Amino acid sequence: MGLLTQFTLLLWKNFTLRKRQKVRLVVEVLWPLFLFLILVWVRSTNKPIYKGQCHYPNKAMPSAGVLPWLQGMICNIDNPCMSSPTPGEMPGQVNNFNSSIIAGILIELQTLVVNRLFLSKIQLLVDDVDQWTSILSQSNPTNAQPVTLRNILRDNETFLTHLKENLSVPPTVVQSLMGAKLHFDPMMGIPTADGLRSILCNGTNLDEIVQFSSQAEKEDFQNVTCSLSPQQLTNTQRVFLQNLDARKVLSELPAALDLNPADTAQLMGRTTADALPVIDEVIKLQNLMPFKAASLLDFQQDMIGSFNKLLCGKQSDFNSTNVTLSLPSDGQMPNNMSFSSGNNSSDAFCEAIISILEGTPGLRRIWSIFKPLVQGKVLYTPDTPAARLIVQEANRTYNALAMLKELTDLWDGLRPRVWDFFQNGSQINAIRDLLANPVFAALLNQRLNGTGWTAELLANFLYNGPPEDRPVGMPPYDWRDMYNATTQILQLLSKFLGCLDLNKFEAAATEGHLVSKALELLKNDTYWAGIVFENLQPDSSQPPPYVKYKIRMDIDETERTNKVKDRLWSPGARDNSFNDLRYILGGFAYLQDMMDHGIIRAHTPQSQPLGVFVQQMPYPCYVDDVFIHSIGGVLPMVLVLAFVYTVCMTIKSLVLEKELRLKEVLRAVGIQNGALWSARFTESLVLLTVPCVLISILVK
């Protein structure tokens, strides 16, 4: 027989034997399918996640400024992934938080402060108020000339219509009132409804205000006004003030107050010209979004959320609704000055802050990271004049915070004078008297029309009386509330800055002493880093052109350098702020930036405000498939288990064939060795191909 015939007969023989072993055949086909069916079920419960591209906000270094640095540390602590380029990636912009509340306020205030024209207008307005105080104090009301009522009303006035139609006043009384003489008193306030009735009906001080041509006209006028209700009297007073003509009143004012007409007209025009720009700027500031947003913050009920909105311009992801600020109070400050200060209250404040940070689970981890930067020390060696010069320049960022604390402490010396100025200052009292005068209030309201301000609101802001005597309908807010709020904010800021260690650098004699001191500081987490200068001369007061130094930090706060990449690669950016960005979060990059800029400033006296922002590279879109990552190490074992039965049974049949000497019998009858091996190989290949095809269909 030929080789092909032998191969065909042997193949027929092997498949005939396999058909007789039905259990074995079923197991060889279904066992691999069973194992891969389990994998398919696991796959169905773990779907791949399609992730888009990631853009990360840049991180400001200390050289960029105190505010950008703090914003970068606090607002980017979770290193958020943005689907589109961040504002800091745009050309011409580096800071991502220019839209925050505090940045907006500082930008507007800085623009206002550097506006010399605005500052000059304020100074001119103060000078105008001083001149008004001097002029009004020198006026002699006994020599003043009364003003006819008809001469100070507008040409298209509605006061007469109101008297005749709304109040049904007799025409004779209306004519006598229009011809009556008025006496101006700049210090006369706006009377209440009861006070107005007392003046008009009882005749109390009526002759000092209105002068009729005869006693009969006066009595007729009193009879009519006494029959009116308090509401009608108030409405009539309002209509009268609305119908005053500002131009006519100003022309009659000098004679009515026994003033120099030319000087008064000139001063009035100058005061109006100086006051309107100041009022417009204040209104603009009040209507700006940063100031409106700042007025809505509530640090008592939501300290973390309000602080996040103020500094970052966004709502914090941390649930801070149950975190409230319960600190030692300095006492209530309603209308007096009961303030307390001292190191004891500052220490209690710091202890309360630390207890809140360490007692809140969501803040404990964050506090452990920032504590070395806030209260930690930077040790340096050797202690040479050049080293001291470098670290002095490097500490400039914290020197800015120390200067801010000094400025807040200056308020303790300024606040008594500010209080006395607003409470009893001659200029402020003169403004209060002018705002209380109904004529001046009406003229000012005409000038302020459309600005959102009125003379009543200005008078309410400068109000210094008891709260229960405040005019009805006025907001319960005046300059004392602003004074107290400013005092509380500055005291809070001063105490908070007092909790920081603003003198970061501490000298050590040698590197060994530095290590010993660092181990002591690590026990209470107040060790930031150590700086070892390697090429400074002991007697040199200036650093060399090339300064070589090394930064020694705690190994738990920096990246490990014993490997350059992970052993098992998986797609995704290294963007975990706590595990992947240790150079940033641990403070290594911050300290390096401080030292580099300190060395630059020590070498050159020229100051160039070049700040550094570090930008993480964007990461492209990818598919995050946990199943594929996990199956990589399990798939070989599954393949072995899937075909181990088939392989074992094949080996068993081969061993049994040799044991029974069947192969020798077949060779004795003329079967070639190649036909035997080809038939066995083809049989095994077919039996393995069938489950493989079924597995491929199942997996697909």
Side-chain angles (χ1 to χ4, degrees), residues 321-381:
T321 55
N322 294 327
V323 180
T324 57
L325 187 61
S326 178
L327 303 173
S329 175
D330 284 334
Q332 300 296 328
M333 297 174 291
N335 298 322
N336 53 22
M337 295 189 303
S338 59
F339 303 101
S340 61
S341 60
N343 295 330
N344 293 333
S345 61
S346 179
D347 294 341
F349 176 87
C350 298
E351 293 176 359
I353 287 288
I354 294 176
S355 64
I356 291 175
L357 295 174
E358 294 181 348
T360 305
L363 299 176
R364 188 180 299 114
R365 171 62 175 165
I366 299 176
W367 169 242
S368 64
I369 295 173
F370 287 114
K371 185 177 180 181
L373 305 180
V374 172
Q375 295 184 330
K377 281 290 187 179
V378 178
L379 307 177
Y380 71 93
T381 188

Side-chain angles (χ1 to χ4, degrees), residues 56-77 79 86 88 93-98 311 370 373 397-398 528 581 583-594 597 610-616:
Y56 303 96
N58 54 29
K59 284 77 176 174
M61 296 292 105
S63 59
V66 176
L67 181 59
W69 181 40
L70 294 178
Q71 288 177 324
M73 284 194 300
I74 298 175
C75 304
N76 293 332
I77 189 172
N79 195 34
T86 60
Q93 181 176 347
V94 291
N95 195 356
N96 290 300
F97 304 103
N98 286 337
L311 194 63
F370 287 114
L373 305 180
T397 300
Y398 287 90
W528 182 353
L581 303 180
Y583 277 121
I584 300 294
L585 207 61
F588 184 94
Y590 299 146
L591 183 58
Q592 184 180 10
D593 178 78
M594 292 168 58
H597 281 79
L610 295 178
V612 176
F613 288 78
V614 295
Q615 177 70 59
Q616 185 176 0

Side-chain angles (χ1 to χ4, degrees), residues 99-130:
S99 60
S100 64
I101 296 177
I102 188 171
I105 292 176
L106 292 179
I107 291 174
E108 296 299 335
L109 292 180
Q110 182 180 6
T111 304
L112 197 63
V113 169
V114 298
N115 188 355
R116 296 183 179 274
L117 181 61
F118 175 73
L119 297 179
S120 62
K121 289 294 183 182
I122 292 180
Q123 183 61 45
L124 292 176
L125 183 60
V126 173
D127 296 339
D128 294 340
V129 173
D130 291 337

Side-chain angles (χ1 to χ4, degrees), residues 53 60 172 209 214 296 344 392 471 493 569-570 626 670 686:
Q53 61 180 347
T172 56
I209 303 175
S214 65
L296 300 177
N344 293 333
Q392 180 182 359
L493 180 61
W569 178 86
S570 60
V626 180
V686 171

Side-chain angles (χ1 to χ4, degrees), residues 57 157 167 188 233 273 324 339 374 428 606 646 680:
E157 51 86 17
L167 302 180
M188 180 188 68
L233 289 175
T324 57
F339 303 101
V374 172
I428 298 298
Q606 297 180 357
T646 303
R680 181 67 67 179

Side-chain angles (χ1 to χ4, degrees), residues 409-462:
D409 292 339
L410 287 177
W411 178 251
D412 291 337
L414 291 177
R415 66 190 184 196
R417 287 184 284 179
V418 174
W419 178 274
D420 292 338
F421 175 75
F422 279 94
Q423 183 72 12
N424 299 312
S426 57
Q427 295 89 346
I428 298 298
N429 287 334
I431 295 176
R432 289 193 185 101
D433 294 335
L434 289 174
L435 293 175
N437 186 280
V439 177
F440 282 95
L443 298 178
L444 185 59
N445 286 334
Q446 294 179 11
R447 292 285 185 175
L448 297 177
N449 186 23
T451 63
W453 285 79
T454 62
E456 291 76 13
L457 291 177
L458 292 175
N460 179 72
F461 179 76
L462 296 177

